[in-house]
Amino acid sequence: MPRALFEKIGNSAYISHLDLMRLFQRAFKRAGLPLTHTQGFNPRPSVSIALPLSLGVESHCELLDFDLTGDSVSCEEIKERLNSALVDGVRVLQVYEGGSKIKNLSMLDCTINLEYDNGIPADGLRRLSDFFTAQNIVVEKSGKNGTVQQDIAPMIYSLNVNACDANIICLEARIACQNPSLNPIQIVAAIRKYLPDLTPDYAHFCRQEIYQADGTVFR
């Protein structure tokens, strides 16, 4: 089954996961690339996206698996035809065959920009750096079965804290993304809970790269 690596940036970050699926289904149709459909009473187009993004989160490393019917089309042509049918901010970077099994996807790199309207609080960089070395960082996580307490510290493999400018702290983190998974939004939730005076006025999130458990790039 072919796989597409794509990015979702800018205003397109506010397209929900379900709407993104519909967007790609329509793009395949407009591009003249007929998708196969699942079997059963309610056939669905054969497209799936790994690790759905939270609304508002950007990414340069999203994966879309799909299956085409009809005449064979080269990976490069699929990429070009899809990009001609997609909206601004959603762009296919690569199409390829023989992708790794999604179950082997283990961790990802993300950036979190913490923006402060009145400038970075005094000693903010040091306090954040010290905070993320804690052995336990427990926050609430909402799921289908209600709200549970989750310790996110073991799911943060590395985290660097730097000042981008006088108003923005940049966090660069490598985190678990599957079995278990950490939503980077929970990192800001932890700051809000334990360091309320360092709660940013706005936080920007972006996935940068995805990896297997051994640290090799996942494709």
Side-chain angles (χ1 to χ4, degrees), residues 175-189:
I175 60 178
C177 67
Q178 194 167 227
N179 301 319
S181 64
L182 171 60
N183 188 327
I185 292 175
Q186 290 176 277
I187 292 177
V188 176

Side-chain angles (χ1 to χ4, degrees), residues 93-212:
L93 305 174
Q94 183 183 2
V95 176
Y96 54 96
E97 300 273 1
S100 300
K101 293 182 178 179
I102 296 298
K103 69 178 183 180
N104 295 327
L105 181 52
S106 178
M107 52 192 176
L108 61 82
D109 285 345
C110 66
T111 55
I112 306 170
N113 289 352
L114 310 176
E115 301 183 12
Y116 300 91
D117 292 343
N118 297 318
I120 296 173
D123 210 21
L125 295 177
R126 183 195 62 79
R127 292 174 63 204
L128 282 173
S129 295
D130 291 346
F131 172 68
F132 285 109
T133 62
Q135 293 185 344
N136 301 102
I137 304 174
V138 179
V139 296
E140 290 187 348
K141 180 180 181 180
S142 298
K144 295 179 180 178
N145 298 321
T147 301
V148 298
Q149 299 294 311
Q150 182 179 45
D151 184 4
I152 67 172
M155 294 181 279
I156 302 174
Y157 302 128
S158 66
L159 192 147
N160 297 317
V161 181
N162 297 289
C164 294
D165 59 34
N167 294 80
I168 301 176
I169 293 177
C170 304
L171 307 182
E172 298 176 338
R174 179 165 294 186
I175 60 178
C177 67
Q178 194 167 227
N179 301 319
S181 64
L182 171 60
N183 188 327
I185 292 175
Q186 290 176 277
I187 292 177
V188 176
I191 296 171
R192 185 179 299 111
K193 177 180 178 180
Y194 293 99
L195 301 171
D197 60 311
L198 293 181
T199 300
D201 295 293
Y202 177 75
H204 174 266
F205 305 87
C206 185
R207 287 180 184 170
Q208 301 292 343
E209 190 55 275
I210 49 179
Y211 302 92
Q212 300 188 116

Side-chain angles (χ1 to χ4, degrees), residues 9-79:
I9 59 176
N11 289 336
S12 290
Y14 296 95
I15 299 174
S16 71
H17 176 67
L18 290 178
D19 285 339
L20 184 65
M21 293 284 286
R22 298 186 187 102
L23 171 66
F24 268 105
Q25 291 168 15
R26 292 193 295 267
F28 275 101
K29 187 173 182 178
R30 287 195 297 268
L33 298 167
L35 293 164
T36 63
H37 285 68
T38 59
Q39 303 297 312
F41 293 104
N42 187 24
R44 298 178 182 273
S46 300
V47 292
S48 63
I49 297 175
L51 303 182
L53 282 167
S54 295
L55 199 66
V57 177
E58 294 186 327
S59 177
H60 299 292
C61 54
E62 295 305 283
L63 298 178
L64 173 82
D65 288 337
F66 61 94
D67 192 28
L68 299 179
T69 185
D71 296 335
S72 177
V73 182
S74 71
C75 290
E76 185 63 25
E77 185 175 350
I78 293 172
K79 170 188 166 182

